[in-house]
Each structure stands twice: as C-alpha cells, then as structure tokens.
Amino acid sequence: MSERIDPWGSTQIKDYEHLFKEFGINKITEEQKKFFDHRLFRRNIVVGHRDLDKLIEALKNKKPCYCMSGIASSGKLHFGHKAILDLHILFKKKGAKLFTGIADIDGFVSRQKISSLEEAQKYAEDNLTHALALGIEPEDIFVQSNMNKRYYSLVFEMSKHVTNAEMKAVYGDIDFGKVSANFLQYADILHPQLFEKPMIGTVPVSFDQDPHVRLTRDLAKRLPYKMIPPGAVYPLHQSGLKEGKKMSSSEPETAIYLSDTPQEAADKLKRAFTGGRDTEQEQRKSGGRPEICKIYEMYRYHMEDEKKLSELYKNCKSGKMLCGECKKICIEFVTKFLEEHQKKFKKMQPIAKKLIYGKS
Amino acid sequence: MSERIDPWGSTQIKDYEHLFKEFGINKITEEQKKFFDHRLFRRNIVVGHRDLDKLIEALKNKKPCYCMSGIASSGKLHFGHKAILDLHILFKKKGAKLFTGIADIDGFVSRQKISSLEEAQKYAEDNLTHALALGIEPEDIFVQSNMNKRYYSLVFEMSKHVTNAEMKAVYGDIDFGKVSANFLQYADILHPQLFEKPMIGTVPVSFDQDPHVRLTRDLAKRLPYKMIPPGAVYPLHQSGLKEGKKMSSSEPETAIYLSDTPQEAADKLKRAFTGGRDTEQEQRKSGGRPEICKIYEMYRYHMEDEKKLSELYKNCKSGKMLCGECKKICIEFVTKFLEEHQKKFKKMQPIAKKLIYGKS
C-alpha cells in the first residue's frame, strides 16, 4: 500500500527514464531538491537536468549565472505556463540572473496561423503582462523584436556554425521558417553570455525541446566567444483538464487561462476529469485516484501549502472527501489566484506596452 | 570590316543571349539607351533587364520608384564596383530613390574568411567611404547591421515563404550561412516597398546573381504587402587586368583598387594585358585589338568622353598608337581619378563611421 502512495507523482518519472538514458539527461537528485526547497522540485515536477550542479555551485559561491526561458507569443498563457514562470522566479530568488524572452519573432515565423509580426506582438503584449503579474520583473525581460543589432548578428552568425545535416538529424525535414525560429532560440539562450560574460546558465525546457538544448550546447563551443555550454532543467508539463489531453493554448476546455474569469474557470473545473469512482458508494469504499485526477494535479502544480496538499490527498484516497467537495475547494483556490492575478495584470499593462513598443 | 568595328563591345552580348532566353531576361532596347543617355547604356555595358520599361514609365511620370544594390563588405572596392555605383547614381539622377545597402552581416555570414561582425564592419566602413566619395549620398545608404527591427522581422518572415525545395532548385545545396545571406539580400531588395510603399524598383546585378532576383520577384508576390516584383538591370562585369582573369577583390594584380596609390595603379596598368601585336611592325600594319584589351576596357567602362574614346579606338585599330603610349594615357586618366577620389575619401571618413557605428 505504501508503494502506491504517491502524493508527489514520482512514478510518472519512470515514463521518462528512457529519455534520460538516450540523451544523457540526468535525474534530479535529493541534494538538488534540498537546495531549491520548492514545490516544483519536491513534488517531482522538475525531473531531469543537465549541468545543474554547475549552476548550484555558482549560486552557492555567488558567481554570475543565469536562467533563460522564452515565452512563445503565439497564444494565451495558462496554468502550465505559470508553473514554468514560477520555476523561473525560483532561480532568480536563488541568485541567478533572469532572461525571460518574449519570442514574438519566433512565434511569428514558426506558426503559419500568425500572419504578421503585429499579430505576434499582440500575443507578446498579453503574455508579457501575465509574466509581469506573476512576478517576473521588467529588468528580467527581453523582447526579440526589440533586441539590438548584436543579437541579430548573433542569430546570423550561428547559421554559419550549424550544418544542414545536423539540423536534419535533430529536427527532421523542417522549413526555413522553423530553421529561423531555431536560430532565434539558440540566440535567446546564448546571448546573455555575449552581452555580459561567459557564465553557466540553465534553461527550463520540456523534454521535447531538448534538441534545442543539445544543439545550443554544441554551438556554445563552436562560437568564438568562450561560452559555457548552458545547462537545462526539465519540468513535466501540467496535463489538460480533459482525459488524455494536453493543456493547450488553443483548446479552451483543456486549460485554465490566466485571463479566464473566475466563472469560466469554475465551469471548466466542474467539467474536469477526476479520479472519482462510478458511484458514491464505491468511492467511499475504495477512495479516489489523485494520481490520475486533473484537480489534484492542479493542486500539486500550484498549491504552495504542503500540509494542505497532503490532507487533500489523504482525504481523497481514504474516500472521506468526494470529487464535488474537492472541486469546490479547487474552484476557491483558483478563483482567489485569478482575482489577485488579474488585478496585478491591469497594473502591469502599461509596463508591458512600454517594453514591447517603447523602443521601436 | 564595319561588322568588326565594335567600339562599344556589343558583340560581347552574344555570349549572354542563351541566358536571356533561358531565364526570361530582356535585351536593352535602343529606346531605353536613349532614355538613360549614359556611357554604361550606350556602350553595351548594361545589356539586359527585367521590367525596365515599368521603371522608365514611373520615372517619366515622376511616380515613386527605386534602385537598390548592395555592397558585399568582404573585400576592397575596385573599378568594377565603381562602374556599378556609377550606374546607381545614374538612376538617382533620373529620379529614382536610392537604397545602397552596406551588407556587413551578409558579408560576415556568407564568407568563411570573415570571422566576426567587427571584421565585416571594417570592410563595410571602407566600402561605404568609397561609395560616398563616388557620389552616393548619406541619405541613400542603409547598413544591414544598423537596420531596425522591422527589417529583421522581414528577413525572418520571408523564411516562412520559401521552401527548401525552391532554395535547392535555385542554389543547389548551400549551408545555413548562405541561406541567411540570401534572406538578407531579399530583404535588402524588398524593404523599400515595406518602409515606404509598394513601387517598382530595379536592382543592378550580374547575371550570376539572377537567382536572387527571380526568387525575390516571387517573394514580392507571396508576402502580404502588395509589393511590386522588382525589376533588374544586368551590367557586364569589367574583366581583370590579366588575361582570362576576373577583376577580383582578393587578387591585387587583376584590379585597380579605389585605394591604390597612383604608383600602384600605374605599375598594374603597365603589366596589364593588351590587344597589342607581337612586334611594333606588325602592330603598325594590322593595328591593335581593343576588343580584347584591358586598357581599352578601362576606358570603355570609365571614360565619359565619347569623342576621346572613339579617337583612342581608331588610333589603336589603325596602328597609329602603340600600347606604351596608350598605357601612359590610361595611367594619367586613372591617376587623376584616384587623386580626386582619395581626397573625397578622406572627407567622407567621419560620415561613413557615423553611418556604421553611430546608431549602435
């Protein structure tokens, strides 16, 4: 029975172990979890890394180091994005310099649905405002379309150092729009070392973004700037509210958007997939299944309070609490967050506008 | 005999007629020559075109139109470049808006020998100073590395509209550095229509650059900006001073550089290949062969005075003037040009520096 108690979802990691072996990604260690002392590490949401000990070493010795991640700017932000930005803020709290990239050009060139830079910038403005409301600070932001010529020439310079065969081996056959987006991403990751100085960095990415990381690490060695190959951390994506669905910017039913009204969020949570049993009687007897429940996943990804999380878990597993009651608690939790967040969002709007359009 | 008299090199055009047919390039007409009334048209140096009548139509009706060409910024400028810039200035005199691109990023990404943007910018500064000394005005200049974000996003946007198969069909297998350079060139050609308004333009290019023109014309139609496919004019390159050699930035003996001292230029001209005969006696009898003579080519490309050119031609063909005397005249002509040009060059240095580095 204790084997099956898994309030932090560590069994899920097993699904990824083949990736660890195949690509040389390392598992997060207990020491690393202790160092960060944060729900996303404790609860096995961040599961893998490259060179994280080098970053921790720099953080411990107060040496310069950085965390970079990009916001794709091609759709609405949801709670899955919030988790990544929370992780980002954690690195800053620990002492890393943040580079949060608003990837408006990337979003524009890599997605056929976005037909102009202006359209990408509308998403960028929205996404950036949310990031600021979540606690990313203006000085941590860079906007691709507002970068200086040194950034763009780095993008072009990198294109000299990657062969067609390599790009094909990593990504298969991709069009030039995607190739451009790739080079922009490599520049996003590496430019802090050119603009400031060579230093270890980390990039929070999902496993499917690992090709970028591998190629960027190679590029760091090929460029004539003595860059240090950046490390990475791999958080698992929060899954969709519907069974078997990803949390997606383009499928409203799968995600709570950071811009949803509390009513919209409540309606989605009411319709969310849970680990409940077919009848009340059965659930009272066998308990719920938080390990497959989207409501419990919302708690696990976003509720800071460990005690409360454990309690929710136990009350579910024991059959003491049914899904209806639990959803009510989740709706309250999400409502409280959204109300506060959306107040901050309004406050941040002029700052975001200035960051996107101010320097044009 | 009259068939063989060819002071303006029109027989040379025959070598290119297959290109006209294969790629749909048109021959320059007598009407077009009359309109421009310039040595480069009269002397069959500009031999082909696309949509030149549309440009002439705009010029006649004082409608907006433009001429764009780029300076590659990867080596020294020579008299061959001067001819192209003279052509450029002609279009301005006739009423077209000029866009002379200093292609420093292009030079950097497309040439393995240039290892940093700083190195490319040194060439760019030199090349730009010469362009200004030749009469291109500061307001006609744009520097790739100093362009605004709208330009860069156009470069990236275009990458969405060209398939790998098309690029391969036009250029064969090329690396990403060259791909980047291509997209930069397309943006150089088309950005005036985005920054100002859709209008007919012309691009002076050599035949081997025609793939760029064809793809750029297609791109103009694919982009969502109602651009007008730009036309082109095809001047023949001035050939090298040595037999069978191109005039090259990297082979000093083939070219008079705009930065050569009069002494250096004189030495190269003395060693230049001529159409002279084996003996004085033979030359007095049969005359020289201006049609293969590098000295005569220098006159044909650069000497404004039609009467003087005809005289030189006749005196050569008749055997009246030998190569030594003719070279002396050429040395005087080139020396006079270089002395005046290099004075202007010094005056233009601060302006060029400001254009390249001023906005960084």
Side-chain angles (χ1 to χ4, degrees):
Chain A
M1 180 71 187
S2 71
E3 276 283 290
R4 296 187 57 234
I5 289 181
D6 181 24
W8 292 347
S10 62
T11 53
Q12 245 185 304
I13 305 176
K14 284 190 182 144
D15 305 343
Y16 296 91
E17 288 198 346
H18 68 284
L19 291 174
F20 292 0
K21 275 180 203 152
E22 195 178 340
F23 297 118
I25 297 170
N26 306 293
K27 266 200 237 185
I28 294 293
T29 65
E30 291 308 311
E31 290 72 30
Q32 291 167 341
K33 286 185 194 177
K34 257 182 224 155
F35 177 82
F36 285 105
D37 189 27
H38 186 274
R39 70 179 198 281
L40 294 170
F41 277 88
R42 275 195 305 268
R43 296 174 191 168
N44 294 310
I45 290 166
V46 180
V47 291
H49 77 92
R50 290 180 191 272
D51 285 349
L52 187 57
D53 284 333
K54 287 188 190 170
L55 188 89
I56 291 176
E57 190 66 20
L59 290 170
K60 280 182 177 168
N61 294 307
K62 310 219 177 289
K63 292 260 167 72
C65 62
Y66 72 107
C67 167
M68 183 275 151
S69 80
I71 302 179
S73 306
S74 60
K76 289 180 171 188
L77 292 195
H78 52 58
F79 270 71
H81 297 111
K82 172 186 169 295
I84 304 298
L85 289 167
D86 288 346
L87 179 60
H88 219 207
I89 291 165
L90 166 64
F91 282 109
K92 182 166 184 181
K93 277 186 188 149
K94 288 287 176 184
K97 196 169 160 79
L98 277 200
F99 291 84
T100 302
I102 304 300
D104 53 353
I105 300 185
D106 179 340
F108 167 44
V109 296
S110 64
R111 321 252 167 170
Q112 287 301 332
K113 70 162 182 162
I114 299 187
S115 64
S116 71
L117 182 62
E118 288 66 33
E119 199 182 331
Q121 286 183 318
K122 274 182 201 157
Y123 285 116
E125 185 189 334
D126 172 83
N127 293 180
L128 170 54
T129 315
H130 283 297
L132 296 169
L134 288 170
I136 304 280
E137 293 176 87
E139 66 266 28
D140 306 332
I141 297 291
F142 70 97
V143 180
Q144 278 180 343
S145 68
N146 270 335
M147 293 299 279
N148 65 19
K149 63 180 189 178
R150 195 68 198 84
Y151 170 85
Y152 292 112
S153 66
L154 179 64
V155 176
F156 294 117
E157 176 172 12
M158 291 184 314
S159 69
K160 254 176 121 165
H161 293 278
V162 178
T163 67
N164 301 35
E166 278 177 312
M167 191 73 84
K168 196 170 174 174
V170 176
Y171 303 95
D173 277 313
I174 53 172
D175 60 40
F176 288 121
K178 292 255 172 19
V179 170
S180 292
N182 286 346
F183 283 115
L184 287 161
Q185 292 204 22
Y186 312 150
D188 286 348
I189 298 173
L190 293 179
H191 83 279
Q193 299 198 48
L194 184 63
F195 282 40
E196 312 222 333
K197 57 188 253 179
M199 56 183 165
I200 183 71
T202 196
V203 191
V205 286
S206 56
F207 286 112
D208 62 329
Q209 298 282 308
D210 189 57
H212 286 308
V213 174
R214 292 200 301 277
L215 238 170
T216 308
R217 285 166 63 89
D218 285 344
L219 259 176
K221 290 177 242 168
R222 290 175 199 172
L223 290 166
Y225 306 115
K226 300 184 197 299
M227 289 176 175
I228 297 165
V233 286
Y234 301 83
L236 298 179
H237 274 311
Q238 185 175 357
S239 66
L241 297 175
K242 295 288 180 186
E243 195 184 3
K245 284 272 190 182
K246 282 187 185 176
M247 190 165 278
S248 161
S249 295
S250 54
E251 290 185 76
E253 278 299 302
T254 64
I256 308 291
Y257 297 131
L258 299 181
S259 57
D260 275 347
T261 63
Q263 189 59 52
E264 285 168 332
D267 289 345
K268 289 181 193 178
L269 290 168
K270 279 179 200 159
R271 290 189 294 264
F273 177 79
T274 70
R277 308 287 179 174
D278 289 345
T279 63
E280 181 182 334
Q281 200 183 10
E282 197 190 334
Q283 190 154 347
R284 292 290 183 203
K285 195 181 136 207
S286 310
R289 286 163 296 178
E291 59 280 5
I292 60 165
C293 174
K294 306 302 186 173
I295 299 294
Y296 182 73
E297 194 176 348
M298 186 64 90
Y299 296 138
R300 195 165 73 87
Y301 270 72
H302 300 285
M303 185 176 270
E304 293 281 3
D305 189 333
E306 292 289 345
K307 220 181 114 202
K308 202 166 171 190
L309 183 79
S310 283
E311 209 177 278
L312 286 161
Y313 184 82
K314 278 181 218 152
N315 289 345
C316 171
K317 286 296 269 188
S318 67
K320 190 177 160 189
M321 182 177 65
L322 297 185
C323 293
E325 189 187 339
C326 182
K327 279 186 168 176
K328 242 178 91 180
I329 294 168
C330 190
I331 289 169
E332 272 168 35
F333 172 72
V334 167
T335 296
K336 187 164 178 264
F337 169 81
L338 285 177
E339 283 174 351
E340 284 173 15
H341 175 77
Q342 288 168 8
K343 261 183 228 163
K344 291 180 204 155
F345 182 91
K346 278 204 177 154
K347 252 178 72 182
M348 294 298 167
Q349 276 177 317
I351 299 168
K353 261 190 215 299
K354 207 180 156 194
L355 283 165
I356 305 259
Y357 305 106
K359 294 181 222 166
S360 74
Chain B
M1 181 72 187
S2 71
E3 277 282 292
R4 297 188 56 234
I5 290 181
D6 182 23
W8 294 345
S10 63
T11 51
Q12 246 186 306
I13 305 178
K14 284 191 182 142
D15 305 342
Y16 296 91
E17 285 196 348
H18 68 285
L19 292 172
F20 292 180
K21 276 180 201 152
E22 193 177 343
F23 297 117
I25 297 170
N26 306 294
K27 268 200 234 184
I28 294 291
T29 65
E30 291 307 312
E31 289 74 29
Q32 291 166 341
K33 286 186 196 177
K34 257 183 225 154
F35 177 81
F36 285 105
D37 189 25
H38 186 273
R39 70 178 197 280
L40 294 170
F41 278 88
R42 273 195 305 267
R43 297 176 192 169
N44 294 309
I45 291 167
V46 180
V47 291
H49 76 92
R50 290 180 189 273
D51 284 349
L52 186 58
D53 284 332
K54 287 187 190 171
L55 187 91
I56 291 174
E57 190 65 20
L59 289 170
K60 281 182 177 168
N61 295 304
K62 312 222 177 285
K63 293 261 169 72
C65 61
Y66 71 107
C67 168
M68 183 273 150
S69 78
I71 302 180
S73 304
S74 60
K76 289 179 171 188
L77 293 195
H78 52 57
F79 270 71
H81 298 111
K82 171 186 169 296
I84 304 299
L85 289 167
D86 287 347
L87 179 60
H88 220 206
I89 291 165
L90 167 65
F91 282 111
K92 183 167 184 182
K93 277 186 189 148
K94 287 288 177 185
K97 198 170 157 79
L98 276 200
F99 291 85
T100 303
I102 304 299
D104 52 353
I105 300 186
D106 179 339
F108 167 44
V109 297
S110 64
R111 319 254 167 169
Q112 287 302 332
K113 70 161 183 163
I114 299 187
S115 65
S116 71
L117 182 62
E118 287 67 32
E119 198 183 331
Q121 286 182 319
K122 273 181 203 158
Y123 285 116
E125 186 190 332
D126 172 81
N127 292 179
L128 170 53
T129 315
H130 283 297
L132 295 169
L134 288 171
I136 304 281
E137 293 177 85
E139 67 266 27
D140 305 333
I141 296 292
F142 70 96
V143 180
Q144 278 181 343
S145 70
N146 270 336
M147 293 299 280
N148 66 18
K149 62 180 192 177
R150 195 67 198 87
Y151 170 85
Y152 292 112
S153 66
L154 179 64
V155 176
F156 294 118
E157 175 172 12
M158 290 185 313
S159 70
K160 256 176 117 162
H161 293 279
V162 179
T163 68
N164 301 36
E166 279 177 312
M167 191 72 84
K168 195 172 172 171
V170 175
Y171 303 96
D173 277 313
I174 52 172
D175 60 38
F176 288 122
K178 291 256 173 19
V179 170
S180 291
N182 286 346
F183 282 116
L184 286 160
Q185 292 203 22
Y186 311 150
D188 286 348
I189 297 173
L190 293 178
H191 84 278
Q193 299 198 48
L194 185 63
F195 282 39
E196 311 222 335
K197 58 186 254 181
M199 55 183 166
I200 184 70
T202 197
V203 191
V205 287
S206 56
F207 285 112
D208 62 330
Q209 299 282 307
D210 190 57
H212 286 309
V213 174
R214 293 201 300 277
L215 238 169
T216 308
R217 285 166 64 89
D218 285 344
L219 259 175
K221 290 178 238 167
R222 291 176 199 171
L223 290 167
Y225 305 115
K226 302 187 196 301
M227 288 174 176
I228 296 165
V233 285
Y234 301 83
L236 298 179
H237 275 310
Q238 185 175 357
S239 65
L241 298 176
K242 296 289 180 183
E243 194 183 3
K245 284 271 190 181
K246 282 188 185 176
M247 190 165 276
S248 161
S249 295
S250 53
E251 290 185 77
E253 278 300 302
T254 63
I256 308 289
Y257 297 132
L258 300 182
S259 56
D260 276 347
T261 62
Q263 188 58 53
E264 285 168 332
D267 289 345
K268 290 182 193 178
L269 290 169
K270 280 178 201 158
R271 291 189 293 265
F273 177 80
T274 70
R277 307 287 178 173
D278 291 343
T279 62
E280 182 183 332
Q281 198 184 11
E282 196 189 337
Q283 190 153 347
R284 291 286 182 208
K285 191 179 140 209
S286 311
R289 287 164 295 179
E291 57 280 6
I292 59 165
C293 174
K294 307 303 183 172
I295 299 295
Y296 182 73
E297 195 176 348
M298 186 64 90
Y299 297 138
R300 195 165 74 89
Y301 272 71
H302 300 285
M303 185 176 270
E304 292 283 1
D305 188 334
E306 292 290 344
K307 217 181 116 203
K308 199 164 172 192
L309 184 78
S310 283
E311 209 175 279
L312 286 162
Y313 183 83
K314 276 181 222 154
N315 289 344
C316 170
K317 286 295 268 188
S318 66
K320 187 174 160 193
M321 180 176 65
L322 298 186
C323 294
E325 188 187 341
C326 183
K327 278 186 171 179
K328 241 178 93 182
I329 295 169
C330 190
I331 289 169
E332 270 167 36
F333 173 71
V334 167
T335 296
K336 184 161 179 267
F337 170 80
L338 285 177
E339 282 173 352
E340 284 173 16
H341 176 76
Q342 290 169 8
K343 259 183 227 161
K344 290 181 205 154
F345 182 89
K346 278 205 178 149
K347 250 178 73 182
M348 292 300 168
Q349 277 178 317
I351 299 168
K353 263 191 212 301
K354 209 180 155 195
L355 284 165
I356 304 257
Y357 305 105
K359 295 181 217 165
S360 75

